[in-house]
Amino acid sequence: MTAAASITRDALLAQMRQIVGTSHVLTDEQATRRFRKGHRTGEGNVLAVVRPGSLLEQWRILQAAVAADRIVIMQAANTGLTGGSTPDGADYDREIVLISTLRITGVQLINDGEQVVCLPGATLDRLEQALAPLNREPHSVIGSSCIGASVLGGICNNSGGALVRRGPAYTELALYAQVKDDGSLELVNHLGIELGNDPEEILTRLQNGDYTPQQVRNEETAKASDARYGEHVRDVDADTPARFNADPSRLFEASGSAGKLCLFAVRLDTFPKEPSTVFYIGSNDPHDLTEVRRHLLAELPRLPIAGEYIHRTAFDIGEKYGKDTFLVIDKFGTSKVPAAFAMKSRVDGFFERFGLRGVTDKVIQALMNLLPSHLPPRMREYRDRFEHHLLVRVSNDTLEQTRSFLSEYFTGSDSGAYFECDADEGRKAFLHRFAVAGAAIRYREAHRSSVEDILALDIALRRNDRDWVETLPQEMEEQIIHKLYYGHFFCHVFHQDYIVKKGNDPLAMEHAMWKLLDERRAEYPAEHNVGHLYVAKPALAGFYRELDPTNTFNPGIGHTSKKKHWGGCC
């Protein structure tokens, strides 16, 4: 037994309590539940959940865990959909210390707000608020930010989002810790900000914003966003997808690291907020949406801001089972949602001790069923008329070109139509689209007697693929209650949620789905990252091993080895 492994759990817990305080080292099963259990999937045991309150505390907890030869899982908001920031199962070879960073909030504006430095607990919602007075916005807006997603989580997973011009979350400027081949822990400062040389000095100065504009280096070779994506997505005749998680060109240190490093900060570009207009398009012919996508991407002088697709079934499930999410955000804003989710988790955990599962979902859904529809009348009318729905947001400097094209294309059409949204309709249309994303989970909890589980895929089709509507074999259709199709249509990234009938095997179905996607030459996952659901492709698995040669951080991600030094892997 090594000296590190001989450190008892009680000794390690005592050390961590001394660093962050007893109240921030959680070991009780009930107290750790919302950290150990993924938002949609994944669950496992931990030695402790530790909640540092500063970068220095995070560093010292990390030092203690690494010295004690424990696994470290870094977690911020725990809003991922593939279980990528929680334990998964009970087959790890070492105990797990889960470090929750949500207490370490911090958004520092630099370069007159054209860039930001975000600390581990910074959420997209908080970043939006910080940039609003400057009339600027972050890489991603509404969507993940609805449920309190963290900025660093987006970088770790190359999260895509809805904004066509900005592509996956990406930066080459980060401050992170890495466990090297020999097991030693190293702090790497690639933020491009001069903060000293000693780790504790660097972290303390950064936490306090103790640096001058002159100490912020602006080197053109180090990028703080993916500036290539705009032209990339315009190439509508390319025979490859626009973006997907295993794309080697977007894997760089923190970007795409999936928790294989311990991040302390990232530096990112921000973007001007522009006046915009939303068009709502409905059609019964998928070809119509294909032609709209190809024209607006290739012919507009500036790219559209967003283009979101909703199938009628997803519309219906979202309207009924995503209503509470929609109403909370509509009435109170995104900042209230994380607290609501935390409260829901605590209540669910209480009832689960008595064998009662999904109590809050059933109660909330019963209340929602009493309320009338919350969607604008014109959206409801289009739901009745059309199977396929497309929401297009364009900046007002391309409004006339967009309006002219849609008018010409749909005049006299028997298959489709469009309307130009007012401000309230446009806001609610996009909010409905993002409420759809969690609706399948609520459906499952409300119909446990008939639902086995949810099979959730996010896929990237080739940019030139005109046959984007999926056709499943009949034997597979018979195993499914509902299919929810929605996604980022202009990027050709689709979310496909299948509500599987009781008695069927979702895992076997998923593997069969993968074969179908391979035949279509799709890439998957597109933007939610592999988590513990998908198999990491060789380039991605190799990237993980390069970042974390001892397999200390987040072992097992992408179905890789959970063993120390990658035992039995690859």
Side-chain angles (χ1 to χ4, degrees), residues 59 116 126 136 142 160 206 219 393 418 424 457 499 519:
W59 170 252
V116 291
R126 176 67 187 89
R136 298 185 72 84
I142 207 166
L206 180 62
E219 300 167 355
R393 183 183 295 278
Y418 78 98
D424 188 61
L457 300 175
I499 301 175
E519 291 172 4

Side-chain angles (χ1 to χ4, degrees), residues 358-376:
V359 169
T360 58
D361 286 290
K362 291 173 184 176
V363 171
I364 292 171
Q365 194 56 46
L367 293 173
M368 291 301 106
N369 291 342
L370 300 175
L371 300 179
S373 175
H374 51 288
L375 298 179

Side-chain angles (χ1 to χ4, degrees), residues 113-158:
E114 293 185 3
Q115 289 189 325
V116 291
V117 174
C118 292
L119 303 189
T123 63
L124 284 170
D125 177 78
R126 176 67 187 89
L127 180 53
E128 283 188 61
Q129 293 178 37
L131 292 173
L134 303 178
N135 204 34
R136 298 185 72 84
E137 57 188 15
H139 163 269
S140 297
V141 297
I142 207 166
S144 296
S145 55
C146 289
I147 51 176
S150 71
V151 176
L152 272 65
I155 292 296
C156 286
N157 293 299
N158 281 150

Side-chain angles (χ1 to χ4, degrees), residues 269-436:
D269 290 331
T270 69
F271 304 88
K273 187 181 295 184
E274 300 183 62
S276 62
T277 300
V278 173
F279 291 90
Y280 198 104
I281 300 166
S283 179
N284 292 312
D285 183 354
H287 172 78
D288 287 339
L289 303 195
T290 298
E291 291 306 305
V292 169
R293 170 183 172 269
R294 290 177 61 86
H295 178 88
L296 295 185
L297 285 179
E299 302 300 331
L300 281 188
R302 296 183 67 208
L303 282 169
I305 293 173
E308 294 293 295
Y309 170 74
I310 313 174
H311 184 267
R312 178 188 278 154
T313 303
F315 185 109
D316 291 345
I317 298 293
E319 181 180 19
K320 183 172 183 178
Y321 296 95
K323 182 183 292 186
D324 58 310
T325 299
F326 181 105
L327 292 176
V328 167
I329 297 169
D330 188 42
K331 303 301 181 184
F332 304 108
T334 59
S335 62
K336 302 297 182 183
V337 177
F341 270 79
M343 175 62 74
K344 179 181 180 297
S345 179
R346 285 192 289 270
V347 174
D348 280 337
F350 172 81
F351 282 105
E352 283 178 8
R353 289 189 291 178
F354 304 99
L356 300 173
R357 181 171 177 174
V359 169
T360 58
D361 286 290
K362 291 173 184 176
V363 171
I364 292 171
Q365 194 56 46
L367 293 173
M368 291 301 106
N369 291 342
L370 300 175
L371 300 179
S373 175
H374 51 288
L375 298 179
R378 287 202 287 184
M379 285 178 61
R380 294 284 311 142
E381 178 199 352
Y382 267 47
R383 178 263 167 227
D384 294 338
R385 291 174 59 189
F386 302 115
E387 179 180 2
H388 305 284
H389 298 241
L390 179 62
L391 288 56
V392 177
R393 183 183 295 278
V394 297
S395 52
N396 284 350
D397 56 0
T398 60
L399 174 59
E400 288 303 324
Q401 295 99 317
T402 307
R403 184 185 287 148
S404 175
F405 167 74
L406 293 177
S407 175
E408 181 179 350
Y409 185 87
F410 285 107
T411 296
S413 172
D414 296 326
S415 57
Y418 78 98
F419 65 86
E420 190 171 326
C421 297
D422 62 30
D424 188 61
E425 287 174 324
R427 180 178 60 82
K428 289 183 175 179
F430 272 87
L431 183 49
H432 176 56
R433 154 63 185 89
F434 292 111
V436 168

Side-chain angles (χ1 to χ4, degrees), residues 221-260:
T221 54
K223 306 300 181 185
S225 62
D226 184 2
R228 306 162 295 171
Y229 187 73
E231 289 306 311
H232 190 67
V233 75
R234 274 193 187 275
D235 189 356
V236 294
D237 291 315
D239 199 35
T240 56
R243 54 178 168 92
F244 55 98
N245 285 129
D247 183 352
S249 70
R250 295 187 175 93
L251 301 176
F252 185 91
E253 296 181 352
S255 297
S257 59
K260 301 302 287 183

